């Protein structure tokens, strides 16, 4: 099994320093979990090379195993024996932990099971919305139910009849991706149209996976996709690309400290929306250069404020808010209402924590206005949210006296983050948890 570098088990006090160095970012959580679904449904065996080993991918692996796939996890390689779309009904509930992709993707996959499936998770996940996905699968003929639009979810199984559906993706593009991933196994054509603002590139990423694994999918309108049944997935041997969202946190360390960080495996032409985050850093005064898959960000002496629409990469509101707190002037981070329904209400959490640093923050329903000038000391709470933990590391690397509480939250997607920060010269030490 791929080794996980364990995060700290106590609060950490960060030692300011200049981030510098080159390293590989972890494999993509988004891609790993999509490929696990494709490999589970595929006919034949698949090999996933250098997948992400994290809490999120671990619960996804356990979930697909419960539905009939066999996964042998070795060092840097997962071997998956697919079901050919012929799933088994699990003996008990599937626990998605804190993983939104697991909950949403496996809700759709469970419609193909021969019997009932229940999906549950930890309390923060049970507060996240899933009604739009339940409604979409119901409209396509499946028997799926939840209470108050949130998990747990009950799926009767028996197959997915098919049809046409419009999905409100304003709370998550994963709703559309979930339906599309199982659509090749429906009994009739499936047409999915997207409604509401979302990071559509994640849906395009899903379409690439579907196509690469042997099913037929095509555009059927500006924001619509169609899949015909009968052309399911075939097992593949594939390497998992880097995680652009995780790389953004490494680049954030360089931007915050005037350092220089190179991510050596930043795949050229990646579909991941967060692969465009270095463009935002350029607007803040960073220098960005690329040599093949090696992408380098060099931070300026002082970051500039920025006014940016983050609707295409809402996960990066945490990274950018942390950098805006260090920048000169007022930054505006727009069109990120969806961040209120992530692991926590990220806009409210950022407003509360940055205020501890003396930063002026005006919180709107879908935006943050941030006046730079952060100063310590402060203990910043992470709300069991991995992206807050990694974003706050950038602040602590730039100013003295910052303690990040419950830093182990990064294990959700990047267990080795704190070790990698130290490799880049950002020191930290564990302190007594208060």
């Amino acid at each position: 099994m791929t080794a996980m570098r364990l995060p700290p088990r106590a609060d950490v006090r960060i030692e300011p320093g200049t981030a510098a160095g080159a390293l590989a970012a972890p494999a993509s959580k988004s891609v790993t979990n999509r490929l696990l679904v494709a490999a589970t449904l595929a006919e034949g065996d698949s090999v996933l090379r250098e997948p992400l080993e994290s809490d999120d991918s671990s619960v996804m692996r356990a979930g697909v195993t419960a539905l009939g796939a066999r996964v042998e996890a070795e060092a840097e390689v997962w071997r998956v024996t697919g079901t050919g779309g012929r799933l088994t009904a699990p003996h008990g509930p599937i626990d998605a932990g804190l993983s939104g992709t697991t909950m949403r993707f496996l809700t759709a996959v469970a419609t193909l099971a021969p019997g009932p499936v229940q999906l549950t998770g930890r309390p923060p996940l049970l507060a996240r919305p899933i009604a739009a996905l339940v409604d979409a699968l119901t409209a396509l003929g499946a028997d799926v139910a939840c209470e108050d639009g949130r998990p747990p979810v009950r799926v009767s199984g028996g197959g997915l009849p098919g049809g046409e559906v419009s999905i409100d993706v304003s709370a998550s593009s994963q709703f559309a991706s979930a339906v599309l991933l199982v659509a090749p196994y429906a009994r009739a054509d499936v047409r999915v149209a997207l409604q509401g603002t979302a990071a559509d590139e994640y849906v395009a990423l899903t379409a690439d996976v579907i196509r690469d694994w042997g099913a037929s999918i095509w555009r059927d309108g500006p924001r619509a996709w169609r899949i015909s049944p009968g052309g399911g997935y075939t097992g593949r041997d594939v390497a998992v690309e880097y995680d652009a969202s995780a790389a953004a946190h490494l680049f954030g360390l360089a931007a915050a400290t005037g350092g220089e960080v190179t991510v050596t495996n930043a795949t050229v032409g990646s579909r991941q929306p967060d692969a465009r985050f270095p463009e935002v850093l350029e607007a803040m005064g960073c220098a960005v250069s690329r040599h093949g898959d090696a992408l380098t960000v060099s931070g300026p002496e002082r970051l500039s404020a920025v006014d940016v629409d983050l609707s295409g990469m809402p996960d990066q509101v945490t990274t950018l808010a942390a950098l805006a707190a260090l920048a000169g002037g007022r930054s505006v981070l727009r069109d990120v209402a969806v961040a209120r329904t992530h692991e926590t209400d990220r806009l409210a959490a950022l407003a509360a924590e940055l205020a501890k640093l003396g930063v002026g923050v005006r919180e709107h329903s879908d935006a943050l206005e941030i006046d730079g000038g952060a100063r310590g000391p402060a203990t910043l709470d992470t709300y069991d949210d991995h992206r807050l933990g990694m974003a706050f590391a950038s602040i602590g690397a730039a100013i003295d006296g910052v303690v990040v509480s419950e830093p182990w939250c990064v294990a959700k997607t990047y267990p080795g983050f704190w070790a990698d920060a130290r490799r880049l010269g950002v020191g930290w030490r564990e302190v007594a948890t208060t």
Side-chain angles (χ1 to χ4, degrees):
M1 183 178 296
T2 308
M4 289 177 64
R5 288 176 295 160
L6 298 178
R9 299 308 302 173
D11 294 354
V12 296
R13 183 184 181 99
I14 303 172
E15 301 166 0
T18 302
L23 46 68
S28 169
K29 179 263 293 186
S30 297
V31 174
T32 295
N33 280 355
R34 282 165 171 78
L35 297 186
L36 269 174
V37 171
T40 293
L41 296 176
E43 193 73 53
D45 297 335
S46 297
V47 178
L48 307 185
R49 300 188 183 276
E50 299 184 9
L52 174 69
E53 184 65 68
S54 71
D55 288 352
D56 270 19
S57 57
S58 179
V59 293
M60 176 65 90
R61 194 173 61 221
V64 299
T65 299
L67 290 166
R70 189 174 73 208
V71 184
E72 298 177 7
E74 305 169 0
E76 307 299 330
V77 173
W78 294 353
R79 303 182 188 279
V80 184
T81 300
T83 65
R86 299 175 292 277
L87 303 178
T88 58
H91 297 297
I94 292 176
D95 185 352
L98 290 172
S99 174
T101 52
T102 300
M103 173 61 70
R104 292 155 181 170
F105 290 179
L106 294 191
T107 292
V109 172
T111 64
L112 306 179
V117 180
Q118 182 173 358
L119 297 103
T120 187
R122 289 174 54 188
L125 179 63
L126 301 184
R128 299 179 69 178
I130 201 167
L133 175 59
V134 170
D135 291 346
L137 293 170
T138 300
L140 294 173
D143 185 356
V144 185
C146 65
E147 294 183 9
D148 299 323
R150 290 172 169 76
V153 179
R154 299 175 301 281
V155 184
S156 294
L160 186 66
E164 299 191 2
V165 66
S166 178
I167 303 179
D168 181 358
V169 292
S170 55
S172 177
S173 63
Q174 292 170 10
F175 299 151
S177 288
V179 174
L180 291 172
L181 282 167
V182 301
Y185 296 87
R187 292 194 284 270
D189 277 15
V190 172
R191 183 181 186 272
V192 173
L194 311 185
Q195 298 294 327
T197 301
D200 285 13
E201 278 299 302
Y202 278 118
V203 182
L205 175 65
T206 301
D208 284 348
V209 170
I210 292 168
R211 194 177 295 112
D212 290 345
W213 284 67
S216 178
I217 181 170
W218 65 95
R219 292 271 191 179
D220 194 28
R223 298 184 73 204
W225 301 87
R226 184 179 291 273
I227 296 177
S228 293
Y233 304 133
T234 301
R236 295 190 67 210
D237 186 326
V238 60
V240 182
E241 68 174 80
Y242 87 121
D243 193 314
S245 303
H249 293 294
L250 301 176
F251 293 140
L253 294 173
T257 65
E260 182 172 283
V261 170
T262 299
V263 171
T264 60
N265 60 339
T267 311
V268 175
S270 173
R271 279 277 199 181
Q272 296 176 65
D274 290 359
R276 301 195 309 274
F277 186 67
E279 298 172 14
V280 180
L281 296 181
E282 283 186 303
M284 300 187 80
C286 294
V288 179
S289 60
R290 177 185 283 279
H291 299 281
D293 285 345
L295 185 62
T296 300
V297 170
S298 303
E301 183 175 339
R302 179 76 186 276
L303 289 165
S304 300
V306 67
D307 187 327
V308 62
D309 179 341
L310 288 177
S311 59
M313 55 178 101
D315 276 345
Q316 293 312 315
V317 68
T318 55
T319 318
L320 191 55
L323 297 177
L326 301 170
R330 176 173 297 176
S331 294
V332 185
L333 317 185
R334 303 180 185 276
D335 295 319
V336 284
V338 67
R340 293 193 181 277
T341 58
H342 284 173
E343 281 76 353
T344 188
D345 181 340
R346 286 177 173 165
L347 302 190
L350 286 164
E353 299 311 303
L354 295 182
K356 295 178 181 178
L357 297 161
V359 174
V361 182
R362 279 158 296 284
E363 181 185 346
H364 304 281
S365 62
D366 64 346
L368 292 175
E369 295 181 46
I370 300 171
D371 292 324
R375 60 187 182 276
T379 296
L380 304 180
D381 294 322
T382 55
Y383 302 77
D384 208 12
D385 187 331
H386 57 135
R387 300 222 179 275
L388 286 174
M390 290 184 277
F392 292 156
S394 293
I395 298 176
I399 62 175
D400 195 21
V402 172
V403 173
V404 177
S405 70
E406 301 183 343
W408 53 85
C409 61
V410 303
K412 186 176 191 293
T413 55
Y414 194 170
F417 171 76
W418 292 105
D420 282 348
R422 183 171 274 165
R423 286 176 60 195
L424 293 172
V426 177
W428 50 267
R429 58 183 174 86
E430 296 186 5
V431 295
T433 302
T434 57

